[in-house]
Amino acid sequence: MSEKEYVKNIKLICELLQSDPTPGVILKLRESFETLSKQLKAGPFLEVFEATLSNIPFSALFSLLAAPDNKLIVTVAEVTGQLLKPVTWPMVHQTFEEYIIQGLAHPHPVVKALVLRQFLKCEQKADPLAKQVLTHLCDIGMAMDYLLSEESVSAIKTLLAGNESQRFRVYDVVAAAIKDSDSSFEFFRQEGIVDLLLKEGSAKDVLVAMNFYELVPTLCESSVPYEYIEAAGVFKNVLEQVQQAKTDDSVTSSLLRLSALKLFSRMADAKGISPGSFYRKYAIAPELAELVLLPEPRSDLKITAITCVGTIGNNPEALEYLASEKTALEALVTVYNTSIGQLRVECLRAIACIFGYSTTPSGAASQICYELYAKLDDGKFLVGLTKEIMKGFEESCVAGLAVIQKLVHHAWGLHEIASYQNIVNFLLMRDSSRPKVAQQWQFSVIESIVKAPEAKSEFDDETFARLERYAREGPYYAVATARVAVESS
């Protein structure tokens, strides 16, 4: 019995895949895959399907999608799509998740369409990859056209009639779609989907409200959705909830306050607003100050408030607001000056955020940082910080080094470091017993010092030369030691 034509063709493809990818081989591969595509269509499909995958694994097909030949990519994508037809979504997801994400970023639209067709097999309300894939799809014009179609909107509205988890998967995709597109926002607004989302903010279910708070800063990447959300009274209502929750010690009230605080802190990075104007209008600083000063050192609200002060202070405009309002920064100073252990670490992390708002700080914000620095530990911040680092505890050591690395970016900060020999000596002293993450931060500080324009004038020649050598040698350099073998008599 003669060998079937599709078997001969599959064997030829296998031989070509083992050859160097010369132009001639690429041409033959293209012709062979075109033939295989026709053979899959002509059938019997299951026979050709099994013979193909028994000899050519999906991984080989996926690698060909990166070939330097567009016609070959198109043909291989067509064959791959045919072979994937009987494969269920759970199997695609489990086996090919890495390739799904890579395919979404592929420059060729045929490959992106191949991925999209696989994803349409997915039960979006149940699959954990749904949000990730749909978010990627929102960066693809072809997928956006589908998302904004009448068919898609009908499906979206059906899903929005479901449970909380299902609704917020859809809202995640809507948020990703409108993040960089005012026209997409207007489309979803006219369809009533934006208003459905805003209603979630007043839900009695605290988890629904928390999910809504999580989405709001993402929606404010442009001034158009921000202005619509503001006009709906969202920020006013959230701030009022924070203020009213003071008299409610319930777990649900605390959870809501935590989410509201995080919402306000993340607004510092929203591109659609002026942070200074936003925080002056919705004065969150007094609320933060009150929570920072809570007497219970391990309170989640206290720790979150400290983190929020750092996050807000990482934006120069917002930092100027905090400085003009004073209470939140003063509260941070008070807690740092009197704290120990984990609470002090949290304060250091917030201080690092504030000092590190820019790699080239200048002007009013840098002056605010200096004034904050001068108040910490009653003007002896660097002395106390060096002692904290030298204790050797990983968290405090890393947090302290992070602060010093941010100080380097300020001209006054570099001067302070250069003027305190104890910290310079510590930085130049290698110790392999320190945790690796601490050694990495130590190296990062020195690297920042060496790159600083003012460094040569701040340090003497010998010290600067040692700093440069440290930077060249890397974070884990170990000095070689001579080993002498002693011969026994």
Side-chain angles (χ1 to χ4, degrees):
M1 186 175 180
S2 60
E3 194 172 46
K4 294 179 179 179
E5 289 301 315
Y6 68 79
V7 174
K8 291 179 183 178
N9 189 38
I10 290 168
K11 285 183 177 179
L12 175 58
I13 291 173
C14 290
E15 290 174 8
L16 291 169
L17 289 173
Q18 299 298 317
S19 307
D20 292 333
T22 63
V25 169
I26 294 291
L27 177 60
K28 288 180 181 178
L29 273 171
R30 197 167 71 206
E31 293 170 349
S32 298
F33 273 106
E34 286 171 355
T35 302
L36 182 57
S37 179
K38 293 174 184 175
Q39 290 167 336
L40 280 163
K41 290 174 183 175
F45 177 78
L46 283 178
E47 284 187 22
V48 184
F49 172 86
E50 289 176 0
T52 302
L53 291 180
S54 295
N55 294 277
I56 308 170
F58 275 116
S59 58
L61 296 171
F62 295 146
S63 67
L64 286 172
L65 295 175
D69 184 284
N70 282 334
K71 290 183 179 179
L72 177 59
I73 288 172
V74 171
T75 307
V76 172
E78 184 178 347
V79 169
T80 305
Q82 289 173 279
L83 294 171
L84 283 170
K85 278 182 181 178
V87 182
T88 63
W89 170 254
M91 188 176 294
V92 170
H93 177 182
Q94 183 178 0
T95 312
F96 307 127
E97 180 173 347
E98 177 187 351
Y99 295 110
I100 290 171
I101 303 303
Q102 290 176 2
L104 290 171
H106 198 285
H108 204 295
V110 170
V111 179
K112 290 174 180 173
L114 170 65
V115 175
L116 178 56
R117 281 194 296 273
Q118 303 315 305
F119 184 67
L120 292 176
K121 301 174 182 178
C122 163
E123 186 184 359
Q124 295 175 21
K125 65 183 181 181
D127 194 277
L129 189 62
K131 174 184 171 182
Q132 188 179 2
V133 173
L134 280 172
T135 301
H136 276 276
L137 290 175
C138 290
D139 293 328
I140 301 170
M142 177 177 58
M144 278 297 294
D145 291 342
Y146 174 77
L147 186 63
L148 301 179
S149 68
E150 184 177 340
E151 178 187 0
S152 177
V153 169
S154 175
I156 285 172
K157 288 181 177 178
T158 300
L159 290 169
L160 287 176
N163 60 32
E164 172 209 341
S165 176
Q166 188 173 320
R167 294 199 309 275
F168 275 91
R169 285 187 189 280
V170 177
Y171 291 140
D172 283 331
V173 178
V174 171
I178 70 177
K179 183 173 66 173
D180 300 311
S181 172
D182 290 344
S183 60
S184 296
F185 170 78
E186 185 59 25
F187 174 85
F188 286 117
R189 187 194 66 76
Q190 290 179 3
E191 291 292 338
I193 293 171
V194 172
D195 288 338
L196 286 174
L197 170 58
L198 296 184
K199 285 180 182 178
E200 304 282 10
S202 56
K204 292 182 180 180
D205 186 330
V206 67
L207 293 178
V208 171
M210 288 170 65
N211 281 329
F212 171 73
Y213 290 174
E214 178 72 20
L215 268 182
V216 170
T218 305
L219 296 169
C220 297
E221 289 297 293
S222 165
S223 61
V224 174
Y226 164 70
E227 288 167 5
Y228 189 82
I229 292 168
E230 184 184 38
V234 169
F235 301 110
K236 177 175 175 289
N237 293 338
V238 175
L239 183 59
E240 286 175 355
Q241 286 177 340
V242 172
Q243 294 165 337
Q244 292 167 4
K246 295 175 187 178
T247 56
D248 185 351
D249 293 331
S250 67
V251 173
T252 55
S253 176
S254 294
L255 287 172
L256 206 58
R257 285 177 89 185
L258 287 169
S259 293
L261 292 174
K262 290 173 184 176
L263 182 158
F264 276 106
S265 68
R266 287 177 59 213
M267 288 301 293
D269 295 322
K271 296 175 183 175
I273 72 168
S274 163
S277 300
F278 176 83
Y279 288 116
R280 279 188 287 273
K281 187 170 186 178
Y282 302 105
I284 192 66
E287 309 306 320
L288 289 172
E290 189 173 323
L291 294 171
V292 168
L293 294 172
L294 285 173
E296 172 51 55
R298 295 185 180 180
S299 162
D300 287 341
L301 280 168
K302 183 182 184 81
I303 299 299
T304 299
I306 289 169
T307 302
C308 289
V309 172
T311 304
I312 293 172
N314 191 247
N315 180 284
E317 271 191 65
L319 180 58
E320 290 185 38
Y321 156 73
L322 289 178
S324 65
E325 203 282 334
K326 294 184 179 179
T327 55
L329 290 179
E330 288 177 352
L332 179 62
V333 170
T334 298
V335 174
Y336 177 80
N337 289 351
T338 57
S339 65
I340 57 173
Q342 188 60 38
L343 186 56
R344 174 158 282 215
V345 170
E346 298 297 340
C347 290
L348 285 173
R349 289 170 178 162
I351 292 164
C353 281
I354 294 169
F355 288 168
Y357 69 85
S358 169
T359 55
T360 55
S362 60
S366 186
Q367 180 60 30
I368 292 166
C369 289
Y370 177 72
E371 290 169 3
L372 174 62
Y373 170 86
K375 292 176 182 176
L376 293 164
D377 261 352
D378 300 319
K380 297 178 180 178
F381 177 60
L382 199 54
V383 175
L385 186 59
T386 303
K387 291 178 181 177
E388 195 73 39
I389 292 169
M390 292 177 72
K391 288 177 182 177
F393 298 116
E394 182 174 325
E395 278 196 298
S396 58
C397 181
V398 169
L401 288 169
V403 171
I404 292 176
Q405 196 263 344
K406 306 308 179 189
L407 279 175
V408 172
H409 297 310
H410 300 263
W412 57 264
L414 184 64
H415 178 76
E416 291 290 313
I417 293 167
S419 302
Y420 187 53
Q421 195 60 43
N422 282 2
I423 190 60
V424 176
N425 291 342
F426 175 84
L427 291 171
L428 286 168
M429 182 179 63
R430 292 185 181 273
D431 184 351
S432 59
S433 67
R434 289 178 196 148
K436 278 209 166 185
V437 66
Q439 294 180 61
Q440 289 167 352
W441 270 104
Q442 185 176 345
F443 173 75
S444 179
V445 172
I446 290 178
E447 196 174 38
S448 296
I449 290 173
V450 170
K451 290 179 180 178
E454 306 89 350
K456 278 192 175 182
S457 60
E458 289 289 353
F459 294 91
D460 62 71
D461 292 344
E462 182 185 348
T463 301
F464 189 72
R466 291 176 65 194
L467 290 164
E468 284 187 310
R469 185 168 65 251
Y470 195 119
R472 284 195 304 271
E473 292 169 347
Y476 310 121
Y477 177 80
V479 179
T481 55
R483 297 180 64 183
V484 179
V486 179
E487 187 176 320
S488 59
S489 56

